Amino acid sequence: MIEIIPAIDIIDGKCVRLSKGDYEQKKIYSETPVDTAKAFEDAGCRRLHLVDLDGAKSSHIINYKTLEAIASSTNLIIDFGGGIKSDDDARIAFECGASMITGGSIAVKNPEVFKLWISQYGADKIILGADAKDKMIATNGWIDNSNLHIVPFINSYLECGITQVISTDISRDGMLQGTAIDLYSEILDECKGIYLIASGGVAGIDDIRQLEEINVPAVIAGKAIYEGRISIKDLENENLKRKC
């Protein structure tokens, strides 16, 4: 049974969503991310994907107080990303309540530091962010493109012990037009043994079913929830199924 992981993206301490990672296409959904997180927990969600979009753009953690508030107010397993570029950023994230941290840009631009975190904190605490446009890795809040193809990029870190990978098809993120089934099929075929977390493009439960059919173990849903295409009741029902 696929796990649905709700997302909260933060700008200026508020819950927002972007379209295709464009900061100029920002929509505010909640002024109180803690209340949003509590609603997800009440619906039976056990995990939360929390992204510091200010941090991603600024290359250092900014909204750590929001992380701390959610962690202290819920029992959610929080994976936190956005702007984690230094040892201090990683330390702050864990001290403020993150159960896991996601590294994307750092894994591209400073792999030795990222590998050190895997060794220091354990591979179960570090998630590889593999966000791509046309299967090429993008960094710095998706502002910059690289010359790295997503499959060998992921495989290089599987050799270092990484097991969890969050992959977003940037062209689909926030567009509610369906997920990158072909991309995820390729990743699952070529990158053996990973816990792949799909992200971007989810428009409703049918998209999640399609991911489940190709054996994607988990999916992040954001805008589809905030726009009411996946209701809190839907989350409750899906989480009940996982418990059966």
Side-chain angles (χ1 to χ4, degrees), residues 12 46 50 133 141 186 209:
D12 296 329
R46 69 182 191 93
L50 182 63
K133 183 176 182 180
E186 181 176 349
R209 291 286 172 264

Side-chain angles (χ1 to χ4, degrees), residues 123-134:
D124 60 324
K125 299 287 187 180
I126 307 297
I127 302 171
L128 178 64
D131 301 330
K133 183 176 182 180
D134 299 324

